[in-house]
């Protein structure tokens, strides 16, 4: 199965967001995660699907063993667990190219300011992760923190050695990404084209319809008292 278009991801993300606010019991939440995992598999992202399913299982396992007195921790972990379906669909959208996203979203009249923000975020986060890894490797190569718990013992030094370089790099990256986007004509008022398929094909309509039907079935299970 070929990957679906950005429009489909957007519609499914909206449906997943609505359904995540409507589900009321654990069974519905479990089915939501499984449905989103299948969506990831259909878009050829099996590793991401496995990661989020395992993450959801881990969060629910932790919630099951926490005492009733851990109110704040329960709320935080439960909120993260409920957000996983939306994050899973968002990951699929983030794997689309910025040019295809801009071209597809322009056709559904998404404001350009929102488009620019989305595309820069999609480009920004992967680069930031690489920068964080490079800073971590640099710290290790210099022997500043010889043990894994060393940053916990010296938090001020950890902040100085990790977060300060990261902040400086983020400022430079934002300027570089803005310059790159301007060079590629992000402010052009003409209709944008893309080499990637951005039309709403029959398979996209089938995917949205199938997700809607599955979502309705999941919502209906809430009244079965299973």
């Amino acid at each position: 199965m070929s990957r679906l278009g950005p429009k489909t991801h957007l519609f499914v993300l909206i449906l997943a967001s609505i359904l995540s606010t409507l589900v009321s019991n654990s069974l519905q939440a479990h089915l939501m995660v499984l449905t989103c995992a299948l969506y990831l598999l259909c878009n050829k992202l099996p590793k991401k699907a496995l990661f989020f399913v395992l993450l959801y299982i881990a969060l629910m396992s932790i919630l099951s063993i926490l005492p009733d007195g851990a109110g704040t921790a329960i709320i935080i972990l439960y909120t993260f667990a409920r957000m996983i379906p939306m994050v899973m669909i968002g990951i699929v959208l983030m794997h689309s190219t910025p040019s295809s996203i801009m071209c597809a979203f322009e056709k559904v009249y998404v404001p350009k300011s929102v488009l620019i923000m989305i595309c820069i975020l999609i480009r920004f986060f992967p680069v930031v992760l690489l920068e964080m890894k490079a800073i971590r490797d640099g710290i290790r190569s210099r022997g500043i923190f010889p043990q894994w718990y060393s940053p916990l013992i010296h938090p001020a030094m950890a902040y100085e050695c990790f977060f300060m370089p990261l902040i400086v790099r983020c400022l430079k990256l934002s300027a570089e990404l803005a310059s790159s986007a301007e060079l590629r004509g992000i402010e052009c008022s003409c209709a944008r084209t893309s080499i990637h398929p951005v039309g709403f094909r029959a398979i996209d309509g089938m995917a949205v319809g199938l997700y809607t039907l599955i979502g309705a079935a999941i919502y209906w299970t809430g009244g079965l008292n299973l």
Side-chain angles (χ1 to χ4, degrees):
M1 180 178 179
S2 60
R3 284 193 177 183
L4 303 173
K7 292 180 185 177
T8 307
H9 303 328
L10 177 63
F11 294 148
V12 173
L13 179 60
I14 294 173
L15 291 173
S17 302
I18 295 173
L19 190 58
S20 295
T21 60
L22 294 178
V23 296
S24 57
N25 57 45
S26 298
L27 175 62
Q28 291 176 312
H30 302 340
L31 293 175
M32 274 285 297
V33 173
L34 290 177
T35 303
C36 294
L38 290 175
Y39 190 80
L40 284 170
L41 292 175
C42 291
N43 285 276
K44 302 178 181 179
L45 296 171
K47 292 183 179 179
K48 296 292 183 182
L50 179 61
F51 170 77
F52 282 108
V53 169
L54 294 177
L55 177 61
Y56 180 78
I57 293 174
L59 289 175
M60 297 306 294
S61 300
I62 295 173
L63 285 171
S64 64
I65 62 176
L66 283 177
D68 295 336
T72 304
I74 291 175
I75 292 174
I76 294 174
L77 293 177
Y78 185 74
T79 303
F80 284 157
R82 290 293 294 267
M83 289 177 62
I84 284 180
M86 292 179 284
V87 175
M88 294 171 76
I89 305 300
I91 287 293
V92 183
L93 182 60
M94 289 184 65
H95 275 74
S96 303
T97 59
S99 60
S100 64
I101 291 175
M102 290 198 68
C103 184
F105 286 10
E106 279 182 353
K107 294 182 179 181
V108 293
Y109 304 104
V110 176
K112 180 166 288 188
S113 58
V114 177
L115 282 176
I116 294 173
M117 178 187 67
I118 293 173
C119 293
I120 290 180
L121 284 175
I122 290 175
R123 286 295 189 190
F124 186 76
F125 282 114
V127 178
V128 169
L129 293 176
L130 293 176
E131 292 294 334
M132 292 173 65
K133 183 179 179 181
I135 294 172
R136 183 197 62 187
D137 293 340
I139 292 174
R140 287 181 176 178
S141 64
R142 290 171 174 82
I144 298 176
F145 297 126
Q147 304 295 335
W148 65 269
Y149 54 82
S150 298
L152 301 177
I153 301 175
H154 306 285
M157 184 180 293
Y159 176 82
E160 181 180 356
C161 295
F162 186 83
F163 288 103
M164 290 305 296
L166 182 62
I167 292 172
V168 174
R169 284 300 302 159
C170 286
L171 292 175
K172 291 184 178 180
L173 285 173
S174 61
E176 292 172 1
L177 288 174
S179 300
S180 175
E182 186 175 358
L183 181 64
R184 296 182 181 185
I186 199 169
E187 296 180 352
C188 180
S189 58
C190 301
R192 185 174 296 273
T193 59
S194 175
I195 62 174
H196 305 281
V198 295
F200 199 76
R201 301 164 296 173
I203 192 172
D204 295 294
M206 291 173 59
V208 174
L210 182 61
Y211 192 92
T212 303
L213 290 175
I214 295 175
I218 292 173
Y219 178 72
W220 180 68
T221 59
L224 297 180
N225 297 321
L226 296 177

